[in-house]
Structures are given as structure tokens and as C-alpha cells.
Amino acid sequence: MAYLQRINYRPNMDNISAKEQESLQTKFDPGSVDVIINGDTIRWDYIEEIEVAVAARQKGLAGWLVKNMVMGGDRYHVAFYFGREEAVIINLTLPAAQFVVQTAAYYLPKRVVYTGPDGVAATSEV
């Protein structure tokens, strides 16, 4: 089982386009005690798991066109699980997904399970 590794620096949005930064700021608003995801406030200490998943697309020409021409490449969903609930930020580019997960790694006060692709954020097995 992989755990999100805490970091001691606050991530920045330098690698995220201005348009996506604006969109992300309406969906994800982190603070020192809690985070607002899609308008819902969640205390950092309630979060138990973070999952990153590649957004599903249809196979075939239509799926390829949407993925590459409309969306500009792969998109990712970042899910935060707490108790029996979840909060999901959808259709993020890889840099935006990395920003969200690394920001969580900065603020989270406890160890949290991470599932998803390698390279999004630092993880540890212990």
C-alpha cells in the first residue's frame, strides 16, 4: 500500500495554463485547516485516501478526437475519500492533478493512502 509523502514546500501553478488555473481555483481552494472542493468544505484530518485516475474516453476515432483535439491529451480525475463520502475534481491535465495532490501532501496532517499513476506525487510504502 502506498502512502502520500508529506512535503515541506507549497506547490505552485507555474506549469498550469492560465485558463486551467482559473478553472481549478473555482473547484479547489486549500487552506491550513480545510479544503473546499467543488463548494464543499472538508477538513484535512478527515481525508483518508486520495486516488488519481485517468479519465475514461471512448475507443475509436471519436474517442481519439475528443482526447487529442478537444481535451489536449489525457485528463485525470482526483478523488478525495473521507468516511463514506468522496469529493472528485474531474478533467484535469497532469500538471493540474499534480498540483492538487502535492498541495494535499503539503497540508495533510496525517498519513493518507494514495492510489494512482506513479510520478504524480512522492509516495512511500511505510
Side-chain angles (χ1 to χ4, degrees):
M1 185 173 294
Y3 295 94
L4 194 58
Q5 195 169 33
R6 293 214 45 186
I7 59 174
N8 60 1
Y9 61 91
R10 190 173 184 178
N12 60 52
M13 292 192 188
D14 292 348
N15 295 332
I16 303 171
S17 72
K19 182 178 177 183
E20 190 166 29
Q21 284 183 31
E22 186 177 314
S23 173
L24 185 57
Q25 288 172 342
T26 65
K27 301 173 188 176
F28 181 71
D29 185 13
S32 61
V33 175
D34 52 32
V35 59
I36 300 171
I37 299 174
N38 299 322
D40 295 325
T41 303
I42 305 157
R43 288 177 47 112
W44 285 116
D45 58 342
Y46 290 175
I47 296 171
E48 300 162 342
E49 182 176 351
I50 295 176
E51 178 180 19
V52 176
V54 178
R57 297 281 176 242
Q58 278 192 328
K59 295 185 189 250
L61 180 59
W64 184 90
L65 286 171
V66 169
K67 174 182 167 183
N68 293 297
M69 304 302 275
V70 177
M71 302 304 263
D74 280 328
R75 292 297 175 135
Y76 298 83
H77 303 320
V78 179
F80 292 79
Y81 298 101
F82 49 104
R84 298 179 133 198
E85 298 184 54
E86 69 178 0
V88 183
I89 305 170
I90 63 170
N91 288 326
L92 300 173
T93 61
L94 181 57
Q98 289 171 323
F99 171 78
V100 168
V101 176
Q102 291 171 6
T103 299
Y106 175 74
Y107 284 112
L108 284 165
K110 64 178 185 176
R111 206 164 69 149
V112 171
V113 173
Y114 170 81
T115 54
D118 292 336
V120 174
T123 59
S124 67
E125 297 296 321
V126 180

